[in-house]
Amino acid sequence: MAAIKITFDGSSVSSKQDADLNYFLCGNEPAGIIKGLANELAYSVGNNKITFQSGYVQIYGRRIFIEENTAVTITLDSTKYGYVIVDVNLSTNNVSVTTVEGSGSYPTLIQQNLHTYGTRYQMAIAKYKKTVSAITLESINRVLIPTALEVANSGFANAKSYMANHYSMEVKSYPDESSGNVYRYNMGAYQNSYTLIIINLNDNQMFALPGRFMTGHSIFGFNYRYLGSDYMLSGEWLPGSVLLLNPGSTSHRVKAIYIYKFGI
């Protein structure tokens, strides 16, 4: 057992160690084309060949460069379904660009986990169907491995979107119903366990009502002073997610309620 120097002068790094770090630094993406380098393996078909532009492939941290105009010939001998693949074989230390085909459907590719000491991985870089007279390129989902900055920017954008969608404030400026001095608000659109309700009374009194404490048939009250006199704002939480508010004087008005949503 010993400490192995990796980023030091004169150090000797195994391909496995280098691949493990590449795999980790690219977000543990098993296989893909490195985005933004060379021509990202764009391809076309013609003259019974599928031809690729240049690009970099990474499979469990093992990096391979495919040169410009790399081509594979498709033999038009029957109707078959096939892939053009990058075939990595660690047992023989070989990498090739070749084809695999199936007669009735697309073949199953060998995709072992090279990070945990698998030895074979076939990564599809094009998909086609052939007959005795033609080759048809089929749609294929090719993973593009982004840069670390792009991943960070994407994570930041996702976080902003999550905050905007899950932590927000809505205003009910008017009750759904009112009768005399009783204000009725339908709160069925909200998960009260994840809300905080702020009650605006007379535009100068604010009361915080934690939604998570509103269950069943809850009754509550807030004492307040207005123009030197004491009053109580009373409320009820009724089955069916209905909030009733009743100010302590017929001259007092609930101007609005503010619903703050947290994590939903």
Side-chain angles (χ1 to χ4, degrees):
M1 304 293 289
I4 299 174
K5 294 185 296 183
I6 294 180
T7 54
F8 292 82
D9 291 339
S11 62
S12 178
V13 180
S14 72
S15 61
K16 179 67 166 64
Q17 291 167 337
D18 200 24
D20 286 347
L21 290 173
N22 291 337
Y23 174 54
F24 172 76
L25 293 173
C26 288
N28 293 338
E29 184 65 58
I33 298 166
I34 298 179
K35 186 177 181 180
L37 283 180
N39 293 303
E40 297 181 354
L41 283 187
Y43 60 97
S44 59
V45 64
N47 299 322
N48 296 353
K49 292 183 178 180
I50 298 178
T51 303
F52 293 86
Q53 297 181 34
S54 60
Y56 288 85
V57 168
Q58 179 168 289
I59 301 173
Y60 283 101
R62 310 278 176 163
R63 290 177 178 170
I64 303 107
F65 177 64
I66 309 299
E67 295 181 311
E68 188 79 8
N69 295 322
T70 295
V72 293
T73 299
I74 310 299
T75 303
L76 301 181
D77 56 357
S78 59
T79 297
K80 287 188 177 179
Y81 304 84
Y83 296 108
V84 181
I85 62 169
V86 177
D87 193 347
V88 173
N89 190 331
L90 298 183
S91 295
T92 59
N93 200 35
N94 287 328
V95 176
S96 61
V97 178
T98 186
T99 63
V100 290
E101 296 179 342
S103 296
S105 61
Y106 287 96
T108 300
L109 301 179
I110 299 170
Q111 295 186 332
Q112 298 173 356
N113 188 331
L114 306 186
H115 178 63
T116 57
Y117 298 99
T119 60
R120 191 84 180 273
Y121 196 100
Q122 297 174 328
M123 173 184 164
I125 55 176
K127 184 179 181 181
Y128 65 91
K129 177 184 177 182
K130 75 175 187 179
T131 64
V132 295
S133 60
I135 305 168
T136 303
L137 293 177
E138 302 290 336
S139 176
I140 183 173
N141 181 25
R142 305 198 307 177
V143 174
L144 292 179
I145 299 176
T147 65
L149 179 59
E150 186 174 352
V151 171
N153 287 337
S154 175
F156 179 66
N158 289 340
K160 287 178 62 179
S161 176
Y162 183 88
M163 290 294 292
N165 292 329
H166 294 79
Y167 294 82
S168 60
M169 186 270 287
E170 295 183 18
V171 181
K172 281 183 172 284
S173 298
Y174 301 97
D176 294 291
E177 296 180 35
S178 63
S179 177
N181 208 38
V182 177
Y183 300 77
R184 182 186 181 99
Y185 299 88
N186 186 348
M187 304 295 289
Y190 309 97
Q191 295 185 42
N192 59 301
S193 294
Y194 296 91
T195 59
L196 175 68
I197 301 167
I198 304 296
I199 303 165
N200 176 355
L201 185 67
N202 298 328
D203 279 335
N204 62 11
Q205 301 278 350
M206 295 289 183
F207 306 98
L209 179 61
R212 66 177 301 176
F213 296 113
M214 298 294 101
T215 60
H217 192 131
S218 302
I219 299 174
F220 57 91
F222 294 100
N223 293 312
Y224 65 97
R225 171 162 289 200
Y226 184 67
L227 299 177
S229 299
D230 293 323
Y231 303 92
M232 173 178 284
L233 170 68
S234 61
E236 293 183 66
W237 183 268
L238 301 180
S241 299
V242 173
L243 175 64
L244 295 184
L245 296 175
N246 187 350
S249 170
T250 56
S251 63
H252 297 176
R253 297 286 181 269
V254 176
K255 297 292 187 176
I257 61 171
Y258 307 88
I259 303 105
Y260 290 85
K261 299 188 295 183
F262 301 98
I264 55 173

